[in-house]
């Protein structure tokens, strides 16, 4: 690192300490993506900042942006593959932003850091239906909104009435209808921090909802690896293909294929799992690219990543009107 780069980092670090001190938000150094993501791989992070209220989170990103400091939001890290190099930006970790779940009739308001599986149980107990299929998706509500998480015919976007986002240091509410909710992709722009949402659900008998949740859980347990370190499906299903990605990879005989610390799950071929204390993101990426090349060669299909690839070199400061998400 050059002397001027070092000085820049020192100035940035002082600015972060000042921001964290004035807002009373926890800011930590020395964390690694390997600790914060479900794949358990990925390099060091300069700073992890963990706001615990929607107002504090909005104020934090406003201050960081005013100081020209790049940041990225992270929920539970169950859909992120961060590379092994040092990541010189702030990770805004939303796991502490749990808030309180508030019910008003068939509506439920929840903060971004709240656990999605927990929310599914809460609403089922209240006799509210619409997200029981999502009960087995690990992660936070914020991550689910960002990705438009879905399973077994349900997607979170379908039931999202409003989303709270950070704007100019304040909590702003936008209609869910203004968001494009696509297959594991939304129209939220890079640099948008999601703070919470209000979902509008349907009344139903709690026992019937519970039974549907159990059915979804049983299906998941029968078809996916559990207990392993994965990020769920690595690739999206190709839109116009009758055969799903997992089946295609399975039929190419790739289940169990290993590259270093990364393995194609023997249970579900669209899951890459990592093994060992020193597992590396580069192994998972090499394996993923090998799969993509073979699928391209044998089926003529360009597989799109469902997992988000976080490069240490990626620019992360300003919202970019033209950018989509990688993968
Ligand atoms: C075993 C397993 C099974 C899975 N099954 C499914 C499934 O059936 N269906 C499905 O859709 N997914 C599935 N996934 C993927 C993953 O659980 C979902 O994408 C989940 O919604 C991600 O939530 P998260 O909090 O972990 O987000 P993260 O992985 O932390 O983040 C994902 C993306 O969301 C962004 N983000 C997170 N929070 C915020 C916020 N507050 N504001 C702005 N951006 C934010 C991040 O920047 C990142 O771009 C599975 C994963 C695993 C490990």
């Amino acid at each position: 690192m050059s002397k001027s780069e070092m000085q820049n980092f020192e100035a940035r670090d002082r600015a972060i300490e000042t921001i964290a001190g004035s807002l009373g938000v926890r800011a930590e150094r020395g964390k690694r993506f390997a600790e914060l993501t479900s794949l358990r791989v990925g390099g060091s992070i300069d700073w992890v900042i963990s706001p615990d209220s929607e107002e504090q989170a909005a104020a934090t990103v406003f201050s960081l942006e005013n100081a020209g400091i790049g940041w990225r939001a992270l929920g539970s890290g169950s859909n992120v593959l961060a590379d092994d190099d040092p990541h010189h930006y702030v990770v805004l970790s939303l796991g502490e932003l749990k808030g309180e779940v508030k019910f008003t009739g068939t509506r439920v308001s929840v903060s971004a850091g709240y656990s999605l599986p927990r929310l599914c149980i809460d609403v089922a107990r209240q006799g509210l239906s619409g997200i029981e299929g999502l009960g087995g998706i690990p992660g936070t509500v914020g991550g689910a909104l960002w990705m438009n998480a879905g399973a077994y015919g349900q997607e979170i976007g379908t039931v999202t009435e409003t989303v709270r986002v950070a704007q100019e240091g304040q909590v702003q509410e936008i209609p869910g209808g203004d968001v494009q909710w696509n297959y594991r992709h939304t129209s939220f722009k890079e640099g948008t921090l999601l703070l919470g949402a209000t979902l509008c659900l349907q009344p139903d008998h709690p026992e019937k909802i519970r039974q549907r949740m159990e059915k979804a859980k049983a299906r998941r347990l029968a078809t996916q690896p559990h207990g392993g370190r994965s990020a769920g499906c690595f690739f999206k299903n190709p839109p116009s293909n009758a055969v799903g990605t997992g089946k295609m990879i399975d039929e190419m005989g790739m289940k169990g294929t290993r590259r270093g610390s990364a393995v194609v799950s023997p249970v579900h071929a669209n899951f890459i799992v990592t093994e060992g204390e020193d597992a590396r993101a580069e192994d998972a990426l090499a394996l993923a690219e090998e799969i993509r090349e073979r699928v391209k060669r044998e089926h003529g299909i360009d597989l799109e990543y469902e997992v988000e690839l976080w490069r240490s070199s990626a620019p992360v400061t300003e919202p970019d009107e033209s950018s989509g998400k990688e993968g």
Side-chain angles (χ1 to χ4, degrees):
M1 192 183 293
S2 72
K3 199 174 166 194
S4 74
E5 273 175 331
M6 272 225 329
Q7 283 167 345
N8 284 344
F9 279 130
E10 280 166 16
R12 179 206 62 178
D13 292 346
R14 281 196 300 277
I16 289 173
E17 277 158 359
T18 306
I19 292 166
S22 67
L23 296 175
V25 61
R26 181 150 58 92
E28 297 165 282
R29 312 197 68 168
K31 295 257 181 201
R32 303 178 64 78
F33 275 107
E35 301 165 56
L36 298 180
T37 58
S38 56
L39 277 163
R40 297 269 169 253
V41 294
S44 62
I45 306 163
D46 279 3
W47 286 92
V48 175
I49 299 187
S50 310
D52 60 13
S53 74
E54 296 187 19
E55 291 73 19
Q56 195 186 50
T60 302
V61 290
F62 189 59
S63 300
L64 290 173
E65 282 164 5
N66 282 340
I69 297 169
W71 62 274
R72 260 180 164 163
L74 188 72
S76 299
S78 55
N79 203 50
V80 168
L81 172 62
D83 72 29
D84 299 305
D85 292 329
H87 293 249
H88 294 303
Y89 50 85
V90 170
V91 165
L92 204 73
S93 172
L94 279 314
E96 300 299 314
L97 185 49
K98 294 189 178 77
E100 268 180 36
V101 178
K102 293 186 197 112
F103 288 94
T104 317
T106 57
R107 292 182 169 77
V108 58
S109 170
V110 61
S111 288
Y114 201 79
S115 149
L116 179 67
R118 182 73 244 166
L119 178 69
C120 293
I121 294 169
D122 295 346
V123 301
R125 284 188 182 149
Q126 294 285 327
L128 293 174
S129 163
I131 55 170
E132 55 270 31
L134 316 185
I137 302 178
T140 59
V141 168
L145 290 166
W146 185 266
M147 301 297 304
N148 189 21
Y152 306 120
Q154 291 179 333
E155 286 181 338
I156 196 159
T158 316
V159 294
T160 302
E161 190 170 71
T162 57
V163 182
R164 293 187 294 281
V165 299
Q167 264 175 25
E168 305 284 316
Q170 305 293 320
V171 182
Q172 296 288 342
E173 199 160 48
I174 57 168
D178 285 1
V179 180
Q180 285 162 35
W181 304 95
N182 301 318
Y183 170 48
R184 306 301 160 262
H185 185 86
T186 53
S187 56
F188 295 116
K189 300 284 181 231
E190 290 295 330
T192 304
L193 179 64
L194 310 181
L195 300 170
T198 297
L199 311 184
C200 186
L201 302 165
Q202 295 294 322
D204 199 354
H205 198 282
E207 182 52 26
K208 284 191 188 158
I209 303 172
R210 196 192 61 77
Q211 281 172 10
R212 289 197 291 273
M213 282 182 86
E214 285 302 315
K215 207 170 150 196
K217 190 174 159 193
R219 248 173 99 180
R220 200 173 272 275
L221 283 174
T223 54
Q224 296 182 2
H226 34 99
R229 301 170 350 180
S230 81
C233 287
F234 224 83
F235 303 104
K236 295 183 184 181
N237 287 318
S240 53
N241 212 41
V243 180
T245 302
K247 193 153 193 286
M248 256 192 305
I249 301 170
D250 188 6
E251 285 173 356
M252 294 187 319
M254 291 192 81
K255 270 185 176 170
T257 305
R258 172 185 291 276
R259 293 293 164 261
S261 54
V263 186
V264 177
S265 165
V267 183
H268 191 311
N270 199 8
F271 277 52
I272 290 178
V273 295
T274 64
E275 292 176 358
E277 280 305 298
D278 302 319
R280 293 187 59 78
E282 69 178 354
D283 291 339
L285 258 178
L287 187 53
E289 280 303 307
E290 194 176 325
I291 293 169
R292 288 185 77 219
E293 276 162 32
R294 277 199 58 186
V295 169
K296 176 75 181 166
R297 208 167 50 235
E298 295 178 26
H299 296 272
I301 291 171
D302 286 308
L303 282 185
E304 210 185 315
Y305 281 96
E306 180 166 332
V307 166
E308 293 213 356
L309 307 180
W310 284 16
R311 314 270 185 196
S312 49
S313 53
V316 286
T317 318
E318 291 86 14
D320 175 355
E321 291 301 312
S322 64
S323 83
K325 287 165 282 217
E326 188 170 4

